[in-house]
Amino acid sequence: MQCPLLYRFRVIDRLPEKPSAAATRGTLVHAVLERLFDDPAVERTVPRARAMVPGQWTRLLESRPELGELFEGDADGELLARWLAEAEQLVERWFTLEDPTRLEPAERELFVETELESGLRLRGVIDRVDVAPTGEVRIVDYKTGKAPRPEYSEGALFQMTFYALVVWRLKGVVPRRLQLVYLGSGDVLTYDPVEADLLRVERKLQALWDAIAHATETGDWRPRPTKLCGWCDHRSVCPEFGGTPPVYPLPIVPAPRTDEPRVRDRGGAEGGADGSVPTRGAAPGPAEPGPGGQGRMGPVS
């Protein structure tokens, strides 16, 4: 949706990308907010949450040693210390938006997957699912960037209605509320979907996948220039910047599926909202860079 050619570079060509400090910080913050609920409610405090940040960074670094590249040359550790402090501030801000002592999530980092009648498979990872005593479901997603202006909120809501569609098809229940928690600006965006919303998303996803299938067959992956191009790792091979893309087509080799967490793998159609194709188990979505970037790899490509 953002750029067909970028989709090709990431999902088909699988061109390497440099680790992103913003995306990695988002993953770190998410890990802290997920694991904080392992503690009894009374222990879910600001000091406890902030103290978890260094340990979770060590754990993340152990699983992804390449992330150490982010702080190469930082001999005195000043950059790392500032980066960790920023993560701690985001975690602390969350306490001004929600009270974790009054929450007992039904699910955290929930992997969901379903298949539509057309055969299109949808999957995603939901940050948090709350279930009220009455059975009403709330889907919650954390964003470490700033809330978008109203005219740009459609993309974020598309992600959430995508999750709602998957849950609806799996459980037969339309989530009562979708909630985006923006830690960068201290805003909470909510939306209460109805079946008609989810049916529209379903039609949109099918049309999107049809377009992906057509581009796969024809090799017609066109760049879509935006202000985000300034943060793209692939400008050297993008015709918009005088580059030449790799030869197409490439041989398709099935890859084994894995559901292990990465810096940012978020759901989608078999290629869905984050852009994967039938040859992949889960493909990295686009970064959410730029001023007020969301800090993780984004769900819509």
Side-chain angles (χ1 to χ4, degrees), residues 85-127:
E86 291 169 351
E88 291 175 6
Q89 291 168 5
L90 292 172
V91 168
E92 182 172 353
R93 183 170 291 146
W94 176 60
F95 284 79
T96 69
L97 305 174
E98 297 189 288
D99 182 358
T101 66
R102 300 172 60 87
L103 294 171
E104 292 297 339
E107 301 286 353
R108 288 169 281 155
E109 295 292 310
L110 175 66
F111 178 83
V112 290
E113 182 174 15
T114 192
E115 188 170 300
L116 303 181
E117 291 183 2
S118 66
L120 179 60
R121 189 164 63 220
L122 311 179
R123 59 172 175 262
V125 181
I126 301 173
D127 286 345

Side-chain angles (χ1 to χ4, degrees), residues 169-250:
R169 290 306 189 195
L170 275 175
K171 306 293 185 180
V173 176
V174 175
R176 174 68 177 82
R177 173 152 293 181
L178 310 177
Q179 181 167 302
L180 282 158
V181 181
Y182 286 94
L183 305 178
S185 57
D187 295 301
V188 176
L189 177 64
T190 62
Y191 183 75
D192 298 341
V194 296
E195 283 190 15
D197 296 325
L198 307 188
L199 290 172
R200 280 194 294 271
V201 170
E202 187 172 83
R203 290 192 296 269
K204 183 173 183 177
L205 286 171
Q206 188 62 59
L208 177 61
W209 187 246
D210 290 344
I212 290 171
H214 178 73
T216 302
E217 294 170 0
T218 63
D220 186 14
W221 301 96
R222 301 184 182 184
R224 184 173 298 155
T226 69
K227 291 185 293 185
L228 295 179
C229 290
W231 287 273
C232 182
D233 282 338
H234 308 303
R235 285 175 292 176
S236 63
V237 291
C238 177
E240 287 293 320
F241 295 89
T244 302
V247 175
Y248 188 91
L250 298 176

Side-chain angles (χ1 to χ4, degrees), residues 2-277:
Q2 289 181 354
C3 176
L5 185 59
L6 177 59
Y7 178 96
R8 180 203 145 174
F9 287 159
R10 284 181 163 155
V11 179
I12 298 178
D13 298 309
R14 302 184 189 179
L15 300 182
E17 296 183 349
K18 296 178 181 178
S20 161
T24 306
R25 183 173 55 235
T27 299
L28 174 60
V29 170
H30 276 70
V32 172
L33 298 186
E34 177 191 3
R35 296 181 184 280
L36 186 66
F37 286 104
D38 291 339
D39 296 333
V42 68
E43 296 180 15
R44 299 170 196 162
T45 64
V46 170
R48 167 62 178 156
R50 291 182 66 111
M52 291 174 66
V53 170
Q56 289 302 313
W57 166 238
T58 298
R59 179 175 178 174
L60 181 59
L61 194 58
E62 289 173 351
S63 63
R64 297 290 304 277
E66 68 275 15
L67 297 179
E69 299 174 14
L70 292 169
F71 302 103
E72 286 183 347
D74 183 28
D76 58 3
E78 182 180 350
L79 290 178
L80 175 59
R82 186 184 310 133
W83 183 81
L84 290 172
E86 291 169 351
E88 291 175 6
Q89 291 168 5
L90 292 172
V91 168
E92 182 172 353
R93 183 170 291 146
W94 176 60
F95 284 79
T96 69
L97 305 174
E98 297 189 288
D99 182 358
T101 66
R102 300 172 60 87
L103 294 171
E104 292 297 339
E107 301 286 353
R108 288 169 281 155
E109 295 292 310
L110 175 66
F111 178 83
V112 290
E113 182 174 15
T114 192
E115 188 170 300
L116 303 181
E117 291 183 2
S118 66
L120 179 60
R121 189 164 63 220
L122 311 179
R123 59 172 175 262
V125 181
I126 301 173
D127 286 345
R128 198 179 85 218
V129 178
D130 301 330
V131 179
T134 56
E136 294 178 315
V137 175
R138 177 173 63 182
I139 295 176
V140 180
D141 193 76
Y142 308 120
K143 298 292 185 186
T144 49
K146 297 179 180 179
R149 296 196 298 269
E151 61 267 30
Y152 297 114
S153 63
E154 182 179 355
L157 288 177
F158 175 76
Q159 172 196 359
M160 299 303 286
T161 50
F162 174 91
Y163 292 154
L165 169 63
V166 177
V167 170
W168 179 40
R169 290 306 189 195
L170 275 175
K171 306 293 185 180
V173 176
V174 175
R176 174 68 177 82
R177 173 152 293 181
L178 310 177
Q179 181 167 302
L180 282 158
V181 181
Y182 286 94
L183 305 178
S185 57
D187 295 301
V188 176
L189 177 64
T190 62
Y191 183 75
D192 298 341
V194 296
E195 283 190 15
D197 296 325
L198 307 188
L199 290 172
R200 280 194 294 271
V201 170
E202 187 172 83
R203 290 192 296 269
K204 183 173 183 177
L205 286 171
Q206 188 62 59
L208 177 61
W209 187 246
D210 290 344
I212 290 171
H214 178 73
T216 302
E217 294 170 0
T218 63
D220 186 14
W221 301 96
R222 301 184 182 184
R224 184 173 298 155
T226 69
K227 291 185 293 185
L228 295 179
C229 290
W231 287 273
C232 182
D233 282 338
H234 308 303
R235 285 175 292 176
S236 63
V237 291
C238 177
E240 287 293 320
F241 295 89
T244 302
V247 175
Y248 188 91
L250 298 176
I252 297 178
V253 180
R257 176 168 176 171
T258 173
D259 295 331
E260 295 180 0
R262 290 190 281 262
V263 165
R264 176 58 166 166
D265 280 350
R266 278 295 187 267
E270 178 72 299
D274 77 338
S276 57
V277 292

